[in-house]
Amino acid sequence: MPPSILDQVTIYKNGSITNSSSDKPCKRRICNSLLVEDQKATIRGVVYDFLSKSRSEKSLISLGVGDASSFPAFQQGQDVSKAIIDSVSSEKFNGYAPSCGIPFSRRAVADYLSWGVEYAGIGEDDVFLTCGGTQAVQICLTVLSNSRDGCKPNILLPNPGFPLYESLSMLNGIETRFYDLVPDQNWELDLGQIKTLSDSHTVAIVIINPNNPSGAVYSRSHLHQIAETAGELNLLVIADEIYGHMVFGGNKFVPMAGFASIAPVITIGGLSKRWLVPGWRLGWLAICDPQGFLRQSQVKEAIQTLMNIVSGPASIIQAAVPGLLSGSNQDFHNNVLKLLESSADTCYEKIGQIKALSCYSKPQGGMFIMVEVKTSLLAGINDDMDFARELIKEESVLVLPGSVIGLKNWVRIFLGVPVDLMREAFDRINSFSERHLLTA
Ligand SMILES: *Cc1c(COP(=O)(O)O)cnc(C)c1O
């Protein structure tokens, strides 16, 4: 196991200037960063590389990354700008916000997360406002990495998953252990596998629901089982609910906080996905721990200290939060869900007509679908990377190769585009697949 960046920092702090990755003393104090050494395929890295490869005359259709904010159809009924205009024009929010967030905005998030959830016990003090969901993840992982007993902690992450967790675990010196999401069982977890993977140094399990990348939405009973398993194993549940309430087709979103009396939960969320304002960089984390499981380990105090060190979201954005969470924007949310659902239906139907593609279940929520590529049926396409690279070259359609998120020979497709554009994308994917289909 290579030493983490934090190990190196520690070595530096201890006054030694030895590069931990080699025995030779290095003259400079700045050591070679493992970020460069362990260069990994990141979503943005792969996407930028592929975008430069399109040789087609056709206009680009990007189904690679998730941002629907540029399509007017998705913005119908959205009145987020009013909240921000009021916040700016009041001129009351030009100063630094308190480190953990403006109290009335924290209150609004606590109320939003407690709505319909019994016994979650989320108060204003349990909520921390962050720069997007990304910083909420960062805060969680940094706090978990700083245990006083000196043991290297490990964390259970979903595979396929969201690569941010792996990268930030690495940066924080946390060992990652991956559990599988089972495609033909609605991408649920195998709880037996969770028990085998965990040991006395396992600190947390990350659950993404509604799920990115699979589009699965977990049932109340599955979430209950997950909480019981986490409780048995003494794990914290990190519930990534950035797609919370984004469900369609009669499915129901059940917040993990409802099971916090069984195992402690930290809920991660934000405005980026449900409100379609990812550029505003407003997220949150909330400690849901009615039984006080986390009290002894002083998790809340550690988060408070860390929030005093790092810098949170802009005051004017924070001040707009209560207006956005007040629930007045139902028409906008319903329209987005309707568009996502028809996009998912179109996708599912078209995939059924393309020999080289398959998918096990229609998405139930979130903004993505996972599609299996039967590479053995395609000439000159050995894996998902080839598929995605050739597809953008020939047809100017961008999809995300599954390898980047842990599932080889699958691709992830973004659903947040107007349905006409989705049809056009699949017409092109169809002609691409026909062209490459091996004749028996
Ligand atoms: C987008 C996303 C995040 C990060 O949210 P930002 O607000 O864009 O930083 C975290 N987790 C998952 C699963 C996501 O899809």
Side-chain angles (χ1 to χ4, degrees):
M1 193 70 207
S4 76
I5 301 236
L6 280 194
D7 293 339
Q8 298 194 357
V9 172
T10 315
I11 288 167
Y12 169 65
K13 270 199 202 144
N14 290 344
S16 155
I17 46 165
T18 307
N19 182 336
S20 58
S21 57
S22 81
D23 293 334
K24 280 195 210 121
C26 62
K27 284 198 192 113
R28 288 182 212 290
R29 290 175 179 218
I30 303 168
C31 296
N32 288 342
S33 172
L34 287 164
L35 276 178
V36 182
E37 228 165 85
D38 288 359
Q39 206 165 43
K40 282 184 53 67
T42 58
I43 294 184
R44 284 185 217 171
V46 169
V47 163
Y48 287 138
D49 179 45
F50 281 8
L51 282 178
S52 66
K53 291 199 159 63
S54 173
R55 278 197 250 106
S56 165
E57 301 284 281
K58 297 173 184 162
S59 60
L60 174 75
I61 304 180
S62 176
L63 308 175
V65 286
D67 187 350
S69 62
S70 60
F71 299 113
F74 279 80
Q75 280 154 5
Q76 248 178 54
Q78 192 193 43
D79 57 5
V80 288
S81 40
K82 185 179 178 310
I84 207 84
I85 289 165
D86 288 349
S87 161
V88 173
S89 52
S90 76
E91 297 191 5
K92 283 191 214 148
F93 304 103
N94 296 333
Y96 287 114
S99 311
C100 300
I102 298 176
F104 67 74
S105 306
R106 296 172 81 188
R107 168 91 262 147
V109 174
D111 290 347
Y112 175 72
L113 295 177
S114 303
W115 193 78
V117 181
E118 281 176 87
Y119 314 121
I122 307 170
E124 182 179 310
D125 282 2
D126 299 312
V127 172
F128 300 85
L129 300 183
T130 57
C131 294
T134 301
Q135 195 187 30
V137 175
Q138 197 173 349
I139 300 279
C140 271
L141 296 181
T142 303
V143 164
L144 293 179
S145 72
N146 267 288
S147 80
R148 217 179 293 178
D149 64 6
C151 291
K152 191 181 176 92
N154 66 68
I155 190 166
L156 307 184
L157 303 179
N159 192 62
F162 189 61
L164 177 73
Y165 285 96
E166 187 184 4
S167 314
L168 287 175
S169 296
M170 184 205 108
L171 271 173
N172 284 297
I174 301 177
E175 181 195 332
T176 50
R177 297 186 180 178
F178 291 93
Y179 66 84
D180 298 315
L181 301 182
V182 190
D184 57 359
Q185 285 168 31
N186 192 34
W187 301 91
E188 288 189 348
L189 292 63
D190 169 356
L191 297 166
Q193 190 193 21
I194 300 299
K195 290 180 189 166
T196 344
L197 283 172
S198 70
D199 62 18
S200 58
H201 300 313
T202 309
V203 288
I205 179 168
V206 173
I207 306 289
I208 304 173
N209 181 48
N211 190 253
N212 173 8
S214 72
V217 174
Y218 296 135
S219 67
R220 179 178 294 278
S221 66
H222 190 51
L223 293 170
H224 190 204
Q225 289 173 326
I226 293 171
E228 300 223 296
T229 307
E232 252 172 69
L233 301 169
N234 285 318
L235 305 182
L236 162 71
V237 179
I238 298 178
D240 184 330
E241 295 178 352
I242 195 112
Y243 299 98
H245 301 283
M246 299 185 76
V247 294
F248 36 81
N251 291 285
K252 201 169 178 300
F253 166 65
V254 179
M256 197 75 207
F259 305 100
S261 55
I262 305 172
V265 174
I266 291 185
T267 298
I268 286 173
L271 299 180
S272 302
K273 311 294 163 69
R274 187 166 183 230
W275 283 265
L276 303 182
V277 287
W280 284 20
R281 311 309 303 127
L282 193 124
W284 54 75
L285 65 88
I287 302 176
C288 326
D289 184 24
Q291 307 281 354
F293 295 118
L294 299 173
R295 217 172 281 144
Q296 209 186 346
S297 32
Q298 296 187 296
V299 169
K300 195 195 275 187
E301 291 77 2
I303 294 176
Q304 279 161 352
T305 307
L306 191 53
M307 294 299 294
N308 284 334
I309 299 170
V310 300
S311 168
S315 312
I316 45 173
I317 308 279
Q318 292 193 27
V321 166
L324 297 182
L325 301 192
S326 66
S328 60
N329 233 353
Q330 272 319 313
D331 291 347
F332 159 69
H333 293 307
N334 291 340
N335 176 58
V336 168
L337 292 182
K338 201 180 73 199
L339 293 174
L340 287 174
E341 183 171 16
S342 57
S343 185
D345 288 346
T346 305
C347 243
Y348 191 72
E349 182 195 319
K350 298 275 181 187
I351 290 162
Q353 297 160 2
I354 300 176
K355 275 202 202 75
L357 300 182
S358 71
C359 86
Y360 291 86
S361 45
K362 208 192 259 188
Q364 303 165 320
M367 300 179 102
F368 298 97
I369 182 173
M370 283 296 279
V371 183
E372 192 174 18
V373 184
K374 298 174 200 158
T375 50
S376 60
L377 300 181
L378 298 170
I381 308 280
N382 290 319
D383 57 22
D384 54 309
M385 286 296 236
D386 284 353
F387 181 87
R389 192 184 310 105
E390 296 307 309
L391 181 64
I392 190 160
K393 251 191 223 169
E394 295 177 23
E395 297 288 348
S396 240
V397 174
L398 177 70
V399 296
L400 186 77
S403 307
V404 183
I405 50 174
L407 212 51
K408 198 177 164 175
N409 291 346
W410 288 69
V411 293
R412 188 189 75 173
I413 289 179
F414 177 55
L415 300 172
V417 301
V419 75
D420 293 346
L421 202 58
M422 190 58 96
R423 280 204 196 94
E424 161 84 28
F426 269 93
D427 288 345
R428 295 194 208 169
I429 294 174
N430 189 33
S431 29
F432 173 85
S433 305
E434 289 291 318
R435 203 156 54 236
H436 287 265
L437 207 59
L438 285 167
T439 42

